[in-house]
Amino acid sequence: MSATGSEGALERVREADLAAFCREVLAFAGADLETADAATRAMLHASRLGVDSHGVRLLDHYVRVLRGGRVNGTPMLRFDRADKPVAMLDADHAHGARATYAAMERACLAARRYGIGAVGIRNSSHFGAAGAYALAAAEVGLIGLVVCNSDAFVRLHGGAERFHGTNPIAAAAPSGSGRPWLLDMATSAIPYNRIVLHRSLARPLPEGTASTESGEDTEEPDLAAMLAPLGGAFGYKGAGLAGLVEILSALLTGMGTSAELLPMTGPDLSTPRGLGAFVLAIDPQAFVGRTEFEAGMRRYVAALRGSAPAEGARVLAPGDREWEEAENRARLGIPIDPHSLEAFRRLSEELGVPPPASIQR
Amino acid sequence: MSATGSEGALERVREADLAAFCREVLAFAGADLETADAATRAMLHASRLGVDSHGVRLLDHYVRVLRGGRVNGTPMLRFDRADKPVAMLDADHAHGARATYAAMERACLAARRYGIGAVGIRNSSHFGAAGAYALAAAEVGLIGLVVCNSDAFVRLHGGAERFHGTNPIAAAAPSGSGRPWLLDMATSAIPYNRIVLHRSLARPLPEGTASTESGEDTEEPDLAAMLAPLGGAFGYKGAGLAGLVEILSALLTGMGTSAELLPMTGPDLSTPRGLGAFVLAIDPQAFVGRTEFEAGMRRYVAALRGSAPAEGARVLAPGDREWEEAENRARLGIPIDPHSLEAFRRLSEELGVPPPASIQR
C-alpha cells in the first residue's frame, strides 16, 4: 500500500511529532480545533497503517483547499433529527474527516440505543481513508460500515469513459481482544496511485486493471486513462459495488454522483465539492450479544490466519498487513516521501510552525 | 447466467404453470402454505430473471430436504423484539425463502417507521437467489441489502483450501418508474456452476478463477477443486467482502461460518444446517426524501446506460440483463433443462400432482 518502493531511504518521523505538526498547520490555515483534530486523526490513521496515499501526504492539499475556500475550516454541523436511528448530517462544507467522524459518532450512539444507526452526510469533502471511520466504530465494540463516492476515474464494465470514482467500501468489526477485523477497499481494480507508481518505475500494470481513452485494456501505465472496475472479466461486480456506493453516499443524500463531482485535484480549489457519504453502525449486543459475537470473531479470524496457504503465499486476515505495518512504524517512525518533506518545510516557513521534531534534526 | 448453452432446444413452460406446480409439489412434500409460497416465489424470481442455477431446478432438492427433515416445512418463526429497528429471527429451520421473505418484510416495516431496519436470521436454510429478497424491499420503495454465507468452496487470497462460501451480496434500489437497480453477486470470482458447465463443455475456465487442491490457479475444469475469490491478483478484496458476509450473516447471528456448515448437497439431508443470514432495509424518505431519491436514481441509471461503451461491448445497469431475460421468458416461457424435466415427471408421479400444463402436452 506504500506509495514508494524504497521506504528504507526515506526520512522517518515519530507519529506524535507528525500529529502535532499537522494539527498546528491546519489550525494556522484556518481550521477550528475539531477540524484540525479530525483531519489529523484521519491522516495519521492512514500513515500509521501504511496507506500513504491517504496519509500525511494530504496535509498540503488540505491546506490549499482550506485557504482556497473549498473546505470550510469552521463549519456548523447540523444533524436533522435528534434521537432517531437515522439522521442526515449537513456538514456545511466541512473537512470530510470532521464530518465523517461526527457522523460515525452519532451512528454509534444510535446503534447503542436502537441496535443500528446510520447517517447520510451532505456537503462534505474528501475524507481520506474510509477505514478510519469504520475503525472508529469497531474501537467502541460496534460493526462499522462506511462508503463514499469520488470523482470519476473508473470505467464501467464494457465501458470506455470514466464513470465511477474509486468508490471505497470500508468495514470493521471488533474481535474482543487484539486488533479489529478491518477491510478498506476501492471498488476499482487498482488504486490510481498504482498507475502513478508504475509510470515512475516504467513497470507494466497488472492485466485487466486499466484502460486507454477508448476503453481498451492496457498494461502500459503511460496509456492508462482510466481504471477498470474490480473483477477483470467479471467487472460488472466491481461496477455494481461502485454503484451501491453511489446509491448510499450520493443518491440517498441528494449529492452529486461521481461523474458530477468537481475533481479533487482542482484546478478549482474554491468551490465546495458537495460530497456525500454514508456511515452505518451495528451493535452486536442487539443481535447475538457482544460476548458471543466477539468470541465468534476470534474463532473466525483464527481460522482465517490458520487456513492453508498456497505454495510461497501467505494468508492474512483483513487488516493484518496494516497492523503489522503499524507496529513497524511505531518502532521506526513514519516514512515521509521527498515531495511531502518539501511541502512540510514550505508550510513550516509560510505558517511559522516548527517542522516535526525529527525533521528539525 | 443460464446453466446451458443451448436454451433453444429446451422445453419451455409458462411461469404461472410452473409456479402452480412448485407450490403444489412443496405442499404435498409437507410444506405449509407460507413455505410453499415463499419457496416458489424465490425460485420463480431466479427462473424469471435467467438465474437458472437458483431457479426451479432447486424444486427437487427442496422436496428432498423437506422429506429428509433438514428443512422444517411447518416452522414457527419467532422474532425476538417487537417494535424496534432491529430484530433477530429464529426461523425454526424453515426453508430459507420462508425465513428471509419474513425477515425482509419485518425490516421494511421497521425502515418505514425508523428510517432503517435490519434482521439477523438464525436457524435458516438455503434461500436461493439473494436478489429475491433485496428486490422485495425495492418493490416497496426501499433500498434492500441481503447477505448469506454458504458451505465453503472458495479459497482465501493466497490460500489453498476451501474457506468461504460463494457468500453473495445482493442489493436493490427503486428507481421510481421502471425496473429497480438490482445487484446480486457472489463474492467468488465465478459461480460453482461455471465449473460444472465448462466441465461438460470441455472448455477452459477464465484465468484466475479456480484453483487445484493445492491452491494453484488452473483453467482446467477437471482440476478445479475450489474457486478463487473475486479480484484475481487483488483477491484480498473478494475474500474481504466474503468475510463481511460471514460477519453479518453468521457471526452476528451466532450461526456457523462457511467452513463449519454441512454441505448443501448432502449426503446428510436430515440434520438442519443452521444457516444465518442478514437483511437490511433503508427508507430514502428518512434521508433525502423519496421523490428526490428516485429522481436521482433515474438520472444515475440513465447515465449508466448512456455511458460510452468500448468497441464491441455493451454497457448495462445492474439488473438490465436480467430484466431483458425476464421479458423474453414472459413471452417464450421458462426453459427447463432435461435433468429438471425428468425430476418434475418423477415428482409428479410420486406425489400425484399433475405436471405443469405445457409439459403435459
Side-chain angles (χ1 to χ4, degrees):
Chain A
M1 300 284 239
S2 157
T4 77
S6 57
E7 281 192 7
L10 298 179
E11 183 111 23
R12 287 181 178 262
V13 180
R14 280 199 323 154
E15 181 181 324
D17 295 339
L18 264 183
F21 178 68
C22 289
R23 259 192 298 266
E24 205 162 354
V25 164
L26 290 166
F28 273 79
D32 59 24
L33 277 180
E34 292 88 345
T35 299
D37 277 348
T40 298
R41 183 179 169 195
M43 286 189 284
L44 267 295
H45 162 91
S47 282
R48 183 186 308 126
L49 269 58
V51 189
D52 290 315
S53 53
H54 293 74
V56 292
R57 178 181 90 74
L58 290 169
L59 179 64
D60 190 38
H61 172 77
Y62 288 153
V63 168
R64 285 172 201 266
V65 292
L66 280 164
R67 285 171 159 176
R70 171 195 285 177
V71 169
N72 180 356
T74 56
M76 287 285 296
L77 303 192
R78 281 179 300 269
F79 288 95
D80 71 341
R81 282 186 188 81
D83 191 32
K84 289 276 178 194
V86 307
M88 286 274 283
L89 167 60
D90 188 321
D92 193 21
H93 308 296
H95 188 285
R98 170 77 180 101
T100 315
Y101 276 123
M104 184 52 97
E105 194 179 342
R106 173 68 165 67
C108 289
L109 280 173
R112 288 245 180 278
R113 174 155 185 186
Y114 295 103
I116 197 164
V119 177
I121 310 173
R122 290 174 62 86
N123 295 322
S124 185
S125 64
H126 189 261
F127 71 15
Y133 315 100
L135 183 61
E139 284 172 345
V140 296
L142 307 177
I143 299 170
L145 185 78
V146 178
V147 295
C148 182
N149 69 345
S150 54
D151 41 307
F153 207 77
V154 186
R155 63 167 172 79
L156 291 169
H157 184 58
E161 66 182 339
R162 292 174 280 274
F163 189 84
H164 285 131
T166 51
N167 292 14
I169 297 175
S175 60
S177 61
R179 300 132 164 187
W181 179 98
L182 174 62
L183 176 70
D184 185 354
M185 56 169 270
T187 53
S188 52
I190 50 170
Y192 175 67
N193 286 324
R194 185 66 83 98
I195 292 182
V196 178
L197 174 62
H198 282 228
R199 236 173 238 166
S200 74
L201 301 172
R203 195 195 286 172
L205 292 165
E207 199 184 323
T209 59
S211 300
T212 64
E213 277 294 349
S214 59
E216 281 173 80
D217 275 7
T218 182
E219 293 167 35
E220 173 52 65
D222 286 328
L223 295 180
M226 63 193 88
L227 302 173
L230 178 66
F234 306 89
Y236 63 90
K237 296 187 181 188
L241 290 170
L244 180 59
V245 171
E246 295 287 337
I247 290 170
L248 294 174
S249 64
L251 301 173
L252 192 60
T253 62
M255 295 287 101
T257 59
S258 292
E260 295 164 344
L261 294 175
L262 288 172
M264 176 190 172
T265 49
D268 177 357
L269 299 182
S270 60
T271 310
R273 293 175 71 213
L275 250 74
F278 179 82
V279 304
L280 176 77
I282 295 172
D283 188 355
Q285 187 61 33
F287 292 87
V288 72
R290 175 167 302 189
T291 309
E292 195 178 334
F293 177 75
E294 294 188 353
M297 282 299 300
R298 280 194 296 276
R299 192 179 86 238
Y300 169 66
V301 171
L304 265 174
R305 292 183 183 134
S307 184
E311 202 179 316
R314 201 179 152 203
V315 169
L316 296 170
D320 277 0
R321 186 186 303 278
E322 287 76 16
W323 299 123
E324 270 180 26
E325 186 60 24
E327 273 185 24
N328 286 337
R329 292 182 173 204
R331 210 172 56 244
L332 302 170
I334 288 168
I336 309 294
D337 66 273
H339 188 81
S340 298
L341 205 61
E342 191 192 310
F344 288 2
R345 292 204 162 107
R346 177 172 41 74
L347 289 168
S348 170
E349 275 175 35
E350 281 175 24
L351 297 165
V353 172
S358 38
I359 292 181
Q360 291 179 44
R361 286 196 309 266
Chain B
M1 297 284 241
S2 159
T4 79
S6 57
E7 280 190 7
L10 296 180
E11 183 110 25
R12 286 179 178 263
V13 181
R14 280 200 322 153
E15 180 180 324
D17 295 339
L18 262 183
F21 178 68
C22 289
R23 260 192 297 266
E24 206 163 353
V25 164
L26 290 166
F28 273 80
D32 59 24
L33 278 179
E34 292 88 345
T35 299
D37 277 348
T40 297
R41 182 179 171 196
M43 285 188 284
L44 268 294
H45 161 91
S47 282
R48 183 184 308 125
L49 270 58
V51 189
D52 290 315
S53 54
H54 293 73
V56 292
R57 178 182 89 76
L58 289 169
L59 178 64
D60 190 39
H61 172 77
Y62 289 154
V63 169
R64 284 172 202 267
V65 293
L66 279 165
R67 285 169 159 178
R70 173 196 284 178
V71 169
N72 179 358
T74 56
M76 288 286 294
L77 303 191
R78 281 180 301 269
F79 288 95
D80 71 342
R81 282 186 190 82
D83 191 33
K84 290 276 179 193
V86 306
M88 285 274 283
L89 166 61
D90 188 318
D92 193 21
H93 309 296
H95 188 285
R98 170 75 179 103
T100 315
Y101 276 122
M104 184 52 98
E105 195 181 341
R106 174 66 166 67
C108 289
L109 280 174
R112 287 247 181 278
R113 175 155 185 185
Y114 295 103
I116 196 164
V119 177
I121 310 174
R122 291 172 60 85
N123 295 322
S124 186
S125 64
H126 189 262
F127 70 15
Y133 314 99
L135 184 61
E139 283 172 346
V140 296
L142 307 176
I143 299 170
L145 186 79
V146 178
V147 295
C148 182
N149 68 345
S150 54
D151 41 308
F153 207 77
V154 187
R155 64 167 172 78
L156 292 169
H157 184 58
E161 64 182 339
R162 291 174 281 275
F163 189 84
H164 286 132
T166 51
N167 292 13
I169 297 175
S175 59
S177 62
R179 300 129 163 189
W181 180 98
L182 174 62
L183 176 70
D184 185 354
M185 57 169 270
T187 52
S188 53
I190 50 171
Y192 174 67
N193 286 325
R194 185 66 84 97
I195 292 181
V196 176
L197 174 62
H198 282 227
R199 236 173 238 164
S200 73
L201 301 172
R203 193 195 289 170
L205 293 164
E207 199 185 324
T209 59
S211 300
T212 65
E213 277 293 349
S214 58
E216 281 173 77
D217 275 7
T218 183
E219 293 167 36
E220 173 52 64
D222 286 328
L223 296 180
M226 63 192 87
L227 301 172
L230 177 69
F234 306 88
Y236 63 90
K237 296 188 180 186
L241 290 169
L244 180 58
V245 172
E246 295 286 338
I247 289 170
L248 293 175
S249 65
L251 300 173
L252 193 59
T253 62
M255 295 287 99
T257 59
S258 292
E260 295 164 345
L261 294 175
L262 287 172
M264 174 189 172
T265 50
D268 178 356
L269 299 181
S270 60
T271 310
R273 293 174 71 212
L275 249 75
F278 180 83
V279 304
L280 177 77
I282 295 172
D283 188 353
Q285 188 59 33
F287 292 86
V288 73
R290 174 168 303 188
T291 310
E292 195 177 335
F293 177 75
E294 294 188 354
M297 281 299 300
R298 281 195 296 277
R299 192 179 87 236
Y300 169 67
V301 171
L304 264 175
R305 292 184 184 133
S307 185
E311 202 178 318
R314 201 179 151 204
V315 169
L316 296 170
D320 277 359
R321 186 187 302 278
E322 287 76 16
W323 299 124
E324 270 179 27
E325 186 59 24
E327 274 185 23
N328 286 338
R329 292 183 172 203
R331 209 172 58 244
L332 302 171
I334 289 167
I336 310 292
D337 66 274
H339 188 80
S340 297
L341 205 60
E342 189 191 310
F344 288 3
R345 293 204 162 108
R346 178 173 38 75
L347 288 168
S348 171
E349 275 176 35
E350 280 175 23
L351 297 166
V353 172
S358 39
I359 291 182
Q360 290 176 46
R361 287 195 308 265

